């Protein structure tokens, strides 16, 4: 039975997508619900799975082609038996190479793409043949010290080969992914279209750290393994501050200012595909455990490429944490159409003056970038001071004072 494989239904905010990777080829056996192709959009990568056991009869849209919502991208024959996977065929082909040609087709492609010399790559295949894995290992580690040298080779030969490989000036040109291009476009637009300004402050993290140290084991035990981190404190502090300063929780739509009666906070997540900002919904109703477990789920799905469009749509405010990478201070860029973004940074011990005495305290710089068209400097500073005050006295968040 022939079945049409279609692109997913895109939401209104996504006009089209691009075929990123075909994981299965025509004639190859496919199991039901097995991943066959990735469709990359401006926001996420969508996975398309096989509707049943069978084979792909024809690929209509190749890698790099643009596809519309629900457009046919392939034809699928359900119930048919397919051939072995191309990877297995390639390995078989590599194993079957003769002594005269010890480089398999998959390995040859990698060698040509990277401008390598096959004679310098030690082979682990049959009869010393070079496999794809051999080339990948060579690229990762450079010229291996254990590579066997010819018996009659001069002593200087291995050193010469090492110098050649180490001195290569290899360049690799790859097209910008659709997601990366969209991120670049939005960042430039944010700088060009908004009157962006940043205000800074610093917060003493000692009270939060002591509270976390005191209750983290009990918290994890009570909430089924959910760990108590710092982000939940910042989310709850930001939520309270947003309620007090509605302009920071607003957005600009043309000539209109839209004030939101709820707090949906986006949390920046770094993935291999780029920066993504999934959104915590109605944070005013979320507990610390809810925030921590949801963020942990976002991070896991982000690394696996399984964040959906519904996870990233909307948002009234954003928090980004460069401190996890060691950033001491930075200026975050707005996430349009939002009017403000909070930047967290590394916790650094510094000598601070406390009641006329010098104390070593764990301090963090905070940065609030905001759109001056919507938010006055006074509001921005007071908003950031509110977050500082709540974090330096966490009981205020519980008492709502």
């Amino acid at each position: 039975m022939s079945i049409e494989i279609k692109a997913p239904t895109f939401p209104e905010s996504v006009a089209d997508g691009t075929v990123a990777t075909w994981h299965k080829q025509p004639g190859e056996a496919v199991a039901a619900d097995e991943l066959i192709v990735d469709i990359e959009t401006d926001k996420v990568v969508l996975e398309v799975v096989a509707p049943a056991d069978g084979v792909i009869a024809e690929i209509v849209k190749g890698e790099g082609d643009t596809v519309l919502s629900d457009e046919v991208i392939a034809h699928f024959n359900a119930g048919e038996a397919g051939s072995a996977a191309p990877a297995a065929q390639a390995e078989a082909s590599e194993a079957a190479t003769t002594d005269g040609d010890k480089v398999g087709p998959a390995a040859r492609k990698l060698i040509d793409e990277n401008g390598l010399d096959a004679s310098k790559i030690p082979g682990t295949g049959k009869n010393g043949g070079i496999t794809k894995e051999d080339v990948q290992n060579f690229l990762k580690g450079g010229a291996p010290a254990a590579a066997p040298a010819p018996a009659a080779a001069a002593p200087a030969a291995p050193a010469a080969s090492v110098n050649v490989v180490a001195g290569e000036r290899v360049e690799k040109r790859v097209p910008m992914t659709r997601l990366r291009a969209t991120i670049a476009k939005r960042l430039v637009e944010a700088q060009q279209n908004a009157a962006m300004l940043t205000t800074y402050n610093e917060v003493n993290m000692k009270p939060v750290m002591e509270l976390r140290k005191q209750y983290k084991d009990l918290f994890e035990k009570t909430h089924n393994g959910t760990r108590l981190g710092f982000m939940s404190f910042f989310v709850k502090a930001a939520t309270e501050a947003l309620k007090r300063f509605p302009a920071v929780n607003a957005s600009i739509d043309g000539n209109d200012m839209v004030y939101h009666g709820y707090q949906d906070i986006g949390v920046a997540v770094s993935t291999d595909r780029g920066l993504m900002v999934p959104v915590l919904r109605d944070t005013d109703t979320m507990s610390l455990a809810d925030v921590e477990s949801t963020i942990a789920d976002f991070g896991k799905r982000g690394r696996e490429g399984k964040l959906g469009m519904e996870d990233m749509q909307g948002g009234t405010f954003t928090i980004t944490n460069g401190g996890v990478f060691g950033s001491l201070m930075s200026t975050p860029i707005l996430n349009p159409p939002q009017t403000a973004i909070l930047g967290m940074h590394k916790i650094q011990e510094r000598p601070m003056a406390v009641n006329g005495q010098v104390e070593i305290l764990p301090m963090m710089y905070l940065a609030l970038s905001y759109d001056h068209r919507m938010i006055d400097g006074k509001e921005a500073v007071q908003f950031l001071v509110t977050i500082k005050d709540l974090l330096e006295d966490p009981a205020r968040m519980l008492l709502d004072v």
Side-chain angles (χ1 to χ4, degrees), residues 126-185:
K126 186 177 181 180
N127 297 324
I130 299 174
T131 66
K132 179 180 178 181
E133 287 73 20
D134 293 331
V135 182
Q136 291 173 334
N137 292 334
F138 183 81
L139 287 170
K140 291 177 182 178
S161 65
V162 171
N163 291 336
V164 170
V165 175
E168 286 182 350
R169 295 165 58 85
V170 179
E171 291 183 351
K172 185 178 181 181
R173 185 183 295 269
V174 295
M176 187 179 290
T177 65
R178 193 183 188 96
L179 178 60
R180 175 59 64 185
T182 301
I183 292 173
K185 179 181 177 182

Side-chain angles (χ1 to χ4, degrees), residues 193-258:
N193 298 331
M196 195 169 72
L197 190 63
T198 304
T199 183
Y200 299 92
N201 215 313
E202 58 184 355
V203 56
N204 174 15
M205 293 295 294
K206 184 177 180 180
V208 170
M209 293 175 71
E210 289 182 342
L211 186 65
R212 178 175 177 267
K213 181 179 180 181
Q214 183 177 355
Y215 291 107
K216 67 177 182 178
D217 293 336
L218 180 60
F219 184 92
E220 186 172 347
K221 181 179 179 181
T222 304
H223 297 289
N224 300 318
T226 300
R227 295 185 177 181
L228 180 59
F230 296 120
M231 184 62 80
S232 55
F233 289 97
F234 279 86
V235 169
K236 296 304 287 184
T239 300
E240 179 59 34
L242 290 171
K243 290 192 292 183
R244 300 183 190 184
F245 299 92
V248 185
N249 195 47
S251 59
I252 294 179
D253 184 10
N255 290 325
D256 296 331
M257 297 183 295
V258 183

